[in-house]
Each structure stands twice: as structure tokens, then as C-alpha cells.
């Protein structure tokens, strides 16, 4: 992403960033949040100001087979982008489910609106959709009454007020103005004073179609989420952090603990192989493989260098199929007779470019 490249080169002074990017810039490049944006939303027929955001998972009320997040297992779900689905990772984890390993298909439809995703749920095209809560305010009441919000918070408490929408996910701050570490504190102070002096009638605010700015909220919750998902890593020896900068969907896949991302070609073809249509955008059909180890060793028995007719008694009780087995690391693996050969197929679930494989032959 351009913001990361320019931050690496110290080529920018200020960045207007959403919660994910703000957390990455702070962790990786020591940028500081100066102010948090406030925006207007329509809630229950009234315009209200909010300084945070959340997400909801919606299903049809008539679908009595899905009443909780855990019921999304083996279902088809949709979202505009993978990071928005990650926003719900905490609550999905608490429900004992991961969308990447448990949902039958994830449809990522960045070119379509949240209202269109809602329509797919109502039409039965998908079982559930991950959307922004204020999108429900933009459909008529009759259609809204056909929907159910899973794991609803009924409006999280925010100080003396409540968030005006039901949400499924936790709440995260609206976008922040970030300052690079090389920007003098005096300039930072002037910028903060100027932005906080704006009100709802200021031309700049009206042009931006926002409500204004306030002193910065904490972005630690967003950073914790990135670490939990695996999009933000910590390198202990160097005392540094780094975010995933991949722009494509495959590069953004982060499998839960105990599972590993499949090779790119396999992920790209998985939906077609399992005969699952992908009418819009990109689709993921279980891109993560659950496995006990990061390496899988499969034993293949052969006897290419032995004439079976010379000593048939060696093969009377030997079923080669029994040696087509999976072995774990550090486990005794495979049995052969003299002058036979064994073949091992090693699958590296971490997809490392090179591996150091060692083995020991015992008589």
C-alpha cells in the first residue's frame, strides 16, 4: 500500500487512516493519532453523531436453522472485503467458529453495496452477510423485520450514551489523523487546535460530509484484533512490529491456530472443484486446512528394485496399502525389506520455499 511505502521512506507528514491502517502505522512506523473523526449516521429516523463503528451479521428470521454464530458452520456467507469479516473475529472465536475453516463459502463482493448484500440474504442467495449496521436503516421496515442480527449487543454502552445500532462485532474508532514521528510537536499542536475548532457548520466539515473531530480515541482495540487475527506480527529480537501489506485477497488470508493456508492455485480453484458458484467478486471455499502439524509426511511403499517372484514369501503377508499412511514429525515412519525402497511425500503446510529435511534409518 502507498501509505506503508511512503511511511517507510519518511515521505509523508500526516495520514488520514481508518482504524486498521492507523493501528499499523502506529505499531510499525510510530505514527501518532492526533484526532478521531466524528460522522453522522441515520439511526431510528434521526441523525446522530458517532465516533466508533461496528459490524453486524444478518440472517433471515425465517431461517430457524441459524440462530447463533456457531450455526454459520457449513453455510455460505458474504462480505465486501476480507478485513471487514476479520472485524468479527473475536465474537466468532468465542462462538467456537472460524469463517475461513468452517464456512462452506465466503463471497467477497467489494463492488457491491451493503444493500445488495442484504438483498442476497432476503433472496436466499447466501445464508448470512457481514455488513455495517446503518445499512439496515436504508431498507424499508418490512424487509428489516425479516432479518435477524446474530449475537446482538443491543447498542453497546459508550460512556453516558449507547451506540445507536445493534452490533455483532466489538466497536472500533472511526478514522484518525496520524502524524509521523518526524513532525515537530508544535506543528502537531497547531493541526489539532485547528481541527478541534471546526464545528458542524464549518465549510470544511460540510464539504467532507462529516460531523467534525474530537481528541483521539485509543486504537489499542483495533491493534489487539490485528494481532489476534495474525495481520500484525511482533518480532521479539528486533523489538519491532509489522503489518501485512498484501493488497490481494490471498495475501490477506490468515488461518486460525491449528490450520494452514492452502497453495494459491488450490485456493483459487476450490469453489469450482466443489461445484459452488461464485456469481460476484471473489469466493473462498475453505482456504485453510486443519492439520496437527505444519508438515505432513505420507509414506509410499514401493519395490521397484526387488523381483517379487524371487522371494514371494516376503510379500505373502504384506499389504502395500497399509503403508500409505500419514506420519507426524519425529515419529517412526515406514517399514521395508532389504533392497526395497520407500518413498515419502512431504507436504509443507507453511509453504516455505526451502526445507531442511532430516531422517534416520534404523535396522
Amino acid at each position: 500500500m502507498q501509505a506503508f511505502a511512503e511511511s517507510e521512506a519518511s515521505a509523508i507528514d500526516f495520514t488520514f487512516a481508518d482504524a486498521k491502517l492507523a493501528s499499523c502505522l502506529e505499531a510499525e512506523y510510530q505514527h501518532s493519532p492526533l484526532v478521531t473523526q466524528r460522522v453522522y449516521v441515520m439511526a431510528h429516523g434521526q441523525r446522530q453523531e458517532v465516533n466508533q463503528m461496528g459490524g453486524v451479521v444478518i440472517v433471515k428470521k425465517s431461517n430457524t436453522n441459524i440462530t447463533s454464530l456457531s450455526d454459520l458452520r457449513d453455510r455460505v456467507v458474504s462480505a465486501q472485503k476480507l478485513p471487514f469479516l476479520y472485524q468479527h473475529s473475536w465474537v466468532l472465536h468465542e462462538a467456537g467458529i472460524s469463517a475461513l475453516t468452517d464456512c462452506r463459502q465466503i463471497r467477497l463482493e467489494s463492488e457491491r453495496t451493503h444493500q445488495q448484500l442484504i438483498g442476497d440474504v432476503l433472496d436466499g442467495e447466501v445464508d448470512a452477510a457481514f455488513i455495517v449496521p446503518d445499512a439496515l436503516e436504508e431498507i424499508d421496515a418490512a424487509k428489516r423485520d425479516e432479518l435477524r442480527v446474530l449475537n446482538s449487543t443491543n447498542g453497546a454502552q459508550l460512556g453516558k450514551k449507547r451506540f445507536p445500532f445493534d452490533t455483532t462485532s466489538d466497536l472500533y474508532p472511526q478514522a484518525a489523523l496520524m502524524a509521523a514521528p518526524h513532525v515537530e510537536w508544535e506543528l502537531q499542536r497547531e493541526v489539532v487546535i485547528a481541527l478541534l475548532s471546526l464545528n458542524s457548520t464549518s465549510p470544511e466539515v460540510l464539504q467532507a460530509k462529516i460531523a467534525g473531530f474530537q481528541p483521539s480515541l485509543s486504537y489499542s482495540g483495533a491493534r489487539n484484533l490485528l494481532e489476534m487475527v495474525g495481520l500484525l506480527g511482533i518480532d521479539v529480537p528486533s523489538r519491532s512490529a509489522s503489518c501485512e501489506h498484501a493488497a490481494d485477497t490471498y495475501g490477506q488470508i490468515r488461518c486460525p491456530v491449528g490450520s494452514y493456508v492452502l497453495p494459491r492455485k488450490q485456493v483459487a480453484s476450490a469453489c469450482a472443484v466443489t461445484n459452488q458458484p461464485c456469481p460476484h467478486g471473489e469466493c473462498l471455499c475453505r482456504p485453510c486446512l486443519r492439520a496437527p502439524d505444519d508438515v505432513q509426511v505420507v509414506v509410499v511403499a514401493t519395490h521397484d528394485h526387488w523381483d517379487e517372484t524371487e522371494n514371494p514369501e516376503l510379500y505373502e503377508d504384506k499389504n502395500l496399502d497399509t503403508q500409505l499412511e500419514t506420519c507426524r514429525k519425529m515419529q517412526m515412519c515406514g517399514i521395508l525389506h532389504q533392497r526395497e525402497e520407500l518413498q515419502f511425500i512431504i507436504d509443507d503446510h507453511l509453504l516455505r520455499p526451502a526445507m531442511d529435511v532430516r531422517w534416520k534409518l534404523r535396522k
Side-chain angles (χ1 to χ4, degrees):
M1 292 179 63
Q2 183 177 358
F4 292 120
E6 292 182 344
S7 296
E8 182 73 30
S10 299
I12 54 175
D13 299 320
F14 298 97
T15 307
F16 197 61
D18 62 19
K20 175 182 179 292
L21 180 56
S23 299
C24 286
L25 291 177
E26 183 176 24
E28 192 166 354
Y29 300 106
Q30 294 75 54
H31 288 214
S32 303
L34 300 183
V35 294
T36 295
Q37 176 184 260
R38 299 182 65 85
V39 299
Y40 288 120
V41 295
M42 291 300 298
H44 314 295
Q46 296 182 339
R47 190 175 76 163
Q48 301 188 38
E49 287 187 29
V50 295
N51 58 5
Q52 300 192 61
M53 60 180 178
V56 291
V57 182
I58 58 167
V59 298
K60 288 186 72 172
K61 282 183 181 178
S62 59
N63 189 348
T64 57
N65 293 320
I66 306 179
T67 59
S68 67
L69 291 172
S70 60
D71 295 328
L72 295 179
R73 190 171 280 106
D74 296 322
R75 305 291 181 175
V76 177
V77 303
S78 66
Q80 283 190 331
K81 296 181 179 181
L82 196 55
F84 188 76
L85 190 147
Y86 285 151
Q87 183 177 322
H88 300 76
S89 294
W90 283 121
V91 290
L92 289 173
H93 176 74
E94 291 167 356
I97 185 174
S98 165
L100 292 172
T101 56
D102 296 314
C103 290
R104 186 167 79 250
Q105 185 184 59
I106 301 170
R107 296 184 180 179
L108 302 174
E109 305 177 354
S110 60
E111 300 299 321
R112 303 181 75 221
T113 66
H114 286 280
Q115 286 72 33
Q116 289 175 310
L117 300 188
I118 294 172
D120 288 344
V121 174
L122 292 171
D123 294 338
E125 294 294 323
V126 299
D127 297 302
F130 292 70
I131 62 170
V132 292
D134 49 320
L136 294 173
E137 296 288 320
E138 300 178 18
I139 63 175
D140 62 65
K143 290 184 177 180
R144 192 161 58 243
D145 288 341
E146 295 181 40
L147 299 169
R148 176 191 297 115
V149 174
L150 298 182
N151 198 59
S152 173
T153 60
N154 296 315
Q157 190 70 36
L158 300 175
K160 296 181 180 180
K161 297 183 179 180
R162 299 187 70 85
F163 193 67
F165 303 109
D166 293 344
T167 58
T168 299
S169 75
D170 294 344
L171 297 179
Y172 300 98
Q174 290 283 343
L177 181 69
M178 308 292 293
H182 63 261
V183 178
E184 296 292 340
W185 72 268
E186 295 92 345
L187 177 57
Q188 294 187 39
R189 179 182 61 184
E190 291 179 15
V191 170
V192 170
I193 292 173
L195 291 176
L196 293 182
S197 67
L198 300 175
N199 56 44
S200 59
T201 62
S202 299
E204 298 85 354
V205 169
L206 294 173
Q207 184 177 7
K209 298 181 180 180
I210 62 174
F213 297 93
Q214 68 169 71
S216 176
L217 295 176
S218 170
Y219 288 79
S220 61
R223 175 170 175 165
N224 292 341
L225 176 67
L226 292 176
E227 289 190 48
M228 180 263 192
V229 171
L231 292 173
L232 173 62
I234 306 297
D235 182 66
V236 175
S238 64
R239 301 184 184 182
S240 62
S242 62
C243 275
E244 175 53 56
H245 298 176
D248 68 321
T249 297
Y250 183 82
Q252 295 173 356
I253 295 175
R254 287 297 178 272
C255 299
V257 175
S259 64
Y260 304 90
V261 65
L262 294 169
R264 184 181 289 269
K265 289 184 178 180
Q266 194 170 343
V267 170
S269 63
C271 293
V273 169
T274 53
N275 296 317
Q276 297 185 66
C278 183
H280 309 285
E282 296 181 85
C283 294
L284 299 174
C285 293
R286 291 194 167 97
C288 298
L289 171 71
R290 293 190 185 276
D293 288 318
D294 58 343
V295 172
Q296 175 178 280
V297 179
V298 179
V299 187
V300 181
T302 64
H303 50 282
D304 296 340
H305 301 296
W306 186 270
D307 185 354
E308 189 171 333
T309 59
E310 289 184 12
N311 295 280
E313 68 278 2
L314 295 179
Y315 296 91
E316 289 177 359
D317 301 319
K318 184 176 179 181
N319 182 355
L320 296 182
D321 290 338
T322 62
Q323 291 204 55
L324 295 173
E325 59 179 335
T326 300
C327 301
R328 302 185 66 172
K329 290 189 298 185
M330 307 303 293
Q331 177 185 353
M332 187 182 301
C333 200
I335 300 174
L336 74 161
H337 293 97
Q338 189 175 19
R339 293 171 60 187
E340 289 182 331
E341 71 174 22
L342 275 178
Q343 292 180 351
F344 296 87
I345 299 175
I346 301 176
D347 285 333
D348 178 22
H349 297 313
L350 294 180
L351 306 178
R352 288 165 285 207
M355 292 182 61
D356 180 16
V357 180
R358 302 180 185 184
W359 67 92
K360 180 176 289 187
L361 180 64
R362 296 182 180 179
K363 295 181 180 180

